[in-house]
Amino acid sequence: MTDTLKYASCDVVIIGAGPTGLSAATALKRAGIEHVMVLDREPEAGGIPRQCGHPPFGIREYKRLMTGPSYAKMLVDTALKADVNIELKSTVTELKPEGVLTVASPEGLTELTAKRVLFATGVRETPRSARMVSGDRGLGICNTGTLQSMFHLKKMIPFRRPVVVGTEIVSFSALSNCKKAGICPVAMLEEDTRPTLRWPLHYATHLFGVPLLLNTCVVNILGNERVEAVQVADENGSLREIACDGVLFTGKFTPESSLARMSHLTFDPVTGSPVVDQFGRCSDLSYYAAGNVMQPRFGSDTSAAVPLYYTADNLPQPVKVAGQCWQEGKLAAGHIVKDLSGALPAASA
Amino acid sequence: MTIEQQRGRNTRDDKRTSGLLIASGDVAIIGGGVVGCAVARRMALEGASVILIEKAADILDGASKGNSAILHTGFDAPVGTLEWQCVQKGYEEFHAIHKSLNLPLLKSGALVAAWTEEEESRFNGILNKGKDNGVKDLRLLSRAEVISLEPNLGQTVRAAISVPREYVIDPWSTPLAYLQQALKNGGKALFNAEVTGGEFDGSDWLLNTAQGQVRARYVINCAGLYGDILDRDVLGGSEFTIKPRKGQFVVFDKAAAKLVKSIILPVPTERTKGIVLFPTIFGNFVVGPTAEDQEGRDDASVDKENLQVLRMQAIEKIPDLATIPVTATYAGIRPATEEKGYRIIEDKTRNWITLGGIRSTGLTSALGLAQHVHHLLAKQGAHFETITEPAVPCIPNLAEHLPRDWQKPGYGEIVCHCEMVTEREINAALEGQAPAGSLSGLKRRTRATMGRCQGFYCSARLAELTKGKFAEPLDVGEVND
Ligand SMILES: Cc1cc2nc3c(=O)[nH]c(=O)nc-3n(C[C@H](O)[C@H](O)[C@H](O)COP(=O)(O)OP(=O)(O)OC[C@H]3O[C@@H](n4cnc5c(N)ncnc54)[C@H](O)[C@@H]3O)c2cc1C
Ligand SMILES: Cc1cc2nc3c(=O)[nH]c(=O)nc-3n(C[C@H](O)[C@H](O)[C@H](O)COP(=O)(O)OP(=O)(O)OC[C@H]3O[C@@H](n4cnc5c(N)ncnc54)[C@H](O)[C@@H]3O)c2cc1C
């Protein structure tokens, strides 16, 4: 274990420098907590908004309409101004009892201890494999997040004429990214009879000139080296082929929570999030979780192991937007401040 | 000539270059599957100058791309066959060399589990076959013993046979190590060099490849799924026909690995070894393979129906898998033929050996097959000076249970977060004697994008790091934001 100075012992360590983590860290510092450190595995702080090259961001937080990257920068600047310590390229690899974390960084492996830990690692989309979509496995199959990061962070594009699968809020972002990058989606597919995001998707597909095919799902992806076409089925099961050079799977968000899944924390396999109490505390009271890594349960489904369960299929509601996560981060900070001063009940119902 | 030069991407100049002699040596090995790589290694160590000729941009483009990665003891192999012999020899040699090559071995052990009375009734046959095959440590476990060993197995399990020395290895680093050792000891490898024909002049072969001509005294056909076609194209006929048989797999999240530690084998039936549940060396847990006869030799597509059935079958046997997400799905194609056994065919008058139909045990038997090839060539009168102190490559470890690169400082940054692949590992895989020739080759060498998010977080960075390296890149072009 090396470099213990960099990771001097902390009051609060936050895992994830996205809107949740940065807002919590800023609030903690402003409330007078001395040692607050945010760890992020990426070389840059800001989380998902860094790669969302479009508005609307920042309305709730900064009373301005911003794009993702400038919003991310604002979050980071605000945190730094509040004297938050942000450590990048620092991957938390293990959560251990009572706030002990293992962290990998290019300087080496470190163990560090915090009085409280906030778990704020966000969500990602469900990839093709976990959706078990049939077909070949050529290049050109990806999620919106990949399109965004390739385009906004590296100025590259993964395809030119993809089929877009899904009609969630993020699918809208996918269309607008395509438009900006000069990518012309050949169709947008939705299994259901209506788009998941009712408005403004119809409008958007018109605006972007992308045909919206309802009641339609991908049954086969063709193309060994690179995607050449997809076979789609409509509600009557009749098949047809659509030529394309990529498949963009949008949405079906799933928490980026494997750290918690693999840890001692009580975990809810239905939502894919750690189990928390009304203060956002995990089963080990040194740990809190907030932001998009926390996904709520829906409906009457309370059994832990639904037979045909896929983590991602169980999130019918659009994911929380950045502003909501920012708010949750602040809220979590409030609880942690109270907790550190002994004002939270030791364990709750 | 170095590999770098030979990895010519375009075959535009085929016509012009095909007449050109680009390499010559003692033994040409056609096909860079696990078998070809093992043969190249053995013959290089025996002192032959070897040339491995592969039609794809990297090794492992055929049957060896997707398998179960089990190092078989051969307890259930057909008694007394060449396959059984090669499995035994391969198993032994792997044990002898894996440490020096830095190849991981996961000593999982296996349980042949019976879930029905009928399956249990076959146990005597399996135990006897094991004995006949010299696998002496098979042991019958009662239901209680099975459950105490693997408490997360479904309660309907009736009994099991323990096969303690059935292990798990790295299916891709292993053949890569074989090739690397061949190269380190004077061998050559040609890529994008499909063999399309050739002529034997009574003493030497002149093979036509997509890159030019290759001269060699002996030729070993290790073309796997194309073994019959190659024999037909070059020799004018083949004694067998490949009947491709696909096997699909579902890979569970690493959280599943703590549920069951052993390989869970089914009681085999006539047609297939059946569906296996097994840990991988990378820390995942997998169910598969299916056994589907098909026409396509390259069609490794997956289909939802079969994948869902596999997943349900896995959950039947290990109920807690119901709560574990699926990480990946894949398929491999077995080079089966109209017969069950290996099709090892020698054309002594033309210095040609075909290693055909290495269907479902090739990862284990490859080293044994390579020894067999050496014996056959020696009998044909080939004589080489064995290298007394062979060079030994050190293969980067990808096994989850052993130290990985990210645990050592100075790795740059972690590029693939799910599989913890470092920038240093990726750069290393793009360099050296047998660099990755394609994105899939890079994945097999590093595991980048093979984890839970399947490239959601790292594809952009990976596209940047591999820019200009592959004929088929991750991106289709650059744009202005
Ligand atoms: C593809 C996509 C597009 C989206 N588009 C929009 C949009 O347009 N508008 C909108 O409002 N919302 C959008 N969202 C929702 C987004 O999740 C929220 O806006 C917000 O970013 C969530 O904040 P967070 O802090 O909870 O998580 P994130 O922003 O995801 O931040 C999590 C951080 O944790 C880090 N991390 C994860 N694991 C570790 C670890 N083990 N060690 C160290 N660091 C770790 C990550 O590197 C990341 O920086 C989108 C989400 C996705 C996935
Ligand atoms: C589903 C499945 C599960 C399996 N599980 C196991 C297991 O657990 N344990 C085990 O030991 N074995 C297992 N196997 C078996 C093992 O994977 C195979 O026996 C082995 O991969 C066969 O390798 P090969 O080198 O003969 O063929 P291939 O891997 O097909 O190699 C042939 C190579 O030759 C190249 N080639 C073809 N034609 C030409 C040409 N004309 N010119 C140049 N190059 C050419 C191809 O591109 C290819 O790279 C499994 C196989 C499958 C499919």
Side-chain angles (χ1 to χ4, degrees), chain B residues 30-36 53-56 60-64 66-70 72 193-195 222-226 230 247 249 289 332-335 358-365:
Chain B
I30 305 177
V34 62
V35 174
I53 310 171
E54 168 56 51
K55 73 171 173 187
L60 312 182
D61 202 56
S64 310
N67 56 45
S68 317
I70 298 171
H72 295 299
E194 181 174 5
V195 174
C222 304
L225 291 157
Y226 288 83
L230 183 67
F249 297 89
I333 310 168
R334 306 168 185 88
I358 316 298
R359 189 176 41 126
S360 52
T361 48
L363 181 65
T364 310
S365 66

Side-chain angles (χ1 to χ4, degrees), chain A residues 41-42 105-106 125 129-130 132 134-137 139 146 152 154-157 160 181 226 258 261-262 309 311, chain B residues 300-304 311 325 327 409-412 417 452 456-457 459 464 472-473 475-479 481:
Chain A
R41 61 191 185 184
E42 293 295 334
S105 81
E125 296 161 284
S129 55
M132 292 198 178
S134 305
D136 299 323
R137 286 164 295 136
L139 289 164
T146 306
H152 290 294
K154 309 292 176 194
K155 314 265 180 268
M156 297 181 189
I157 51 172
R160 294 185 197 283
R226 200 171 279 280
S258 17
R261 189 191 288 276
M262 307 288 272
Y309 153 80
T311 317
Chain B
S301 61
V302 291
D303 73 86
K304 190 165 193 158
R311 181 174 172 273
T327 289
Y411 54 68
H417 296 295
R452 304 174 170 101
F456 175 91
Y457 291 109
S459 291
E464 183 181 51
E472 283 292 341
D475 67 308
V476 297
E478 289 182 37
V479 284
D481 191 345

Side-chain angles (χ1 to χ4, degrees), chain A residues 15-21 39-42 44 46-52 54-57 90-93 120-125 144-145 148 170 173 253 256 259 290-293 319-323 325, chain B residues 417 456-457:
Chain A
I15 311 174
T20 310
L39 302 175
D40 202 291
R41 61 191 185 184
E42 293 295 334
E44 231 183 288
I48 289 284
R50 272 185 318 133
Q51 60 186 53
C52 302
H54 51 70
F57 284 91
S90 300
T91 307
V92 178
T93 58
T121 49
V123 280
R124 57 176 168 81
E125 296 161 284
T144 318
Q148 290 178 340
V170 68
S173 159
F253 288 99
E256 175 63 359
L259 261 184
N292 260 341
V293 78
V319 76
K320 285 175 268 191
V321 296
C325 293
Chain B
H417 296 295
F456 175 91
Y457 291 109

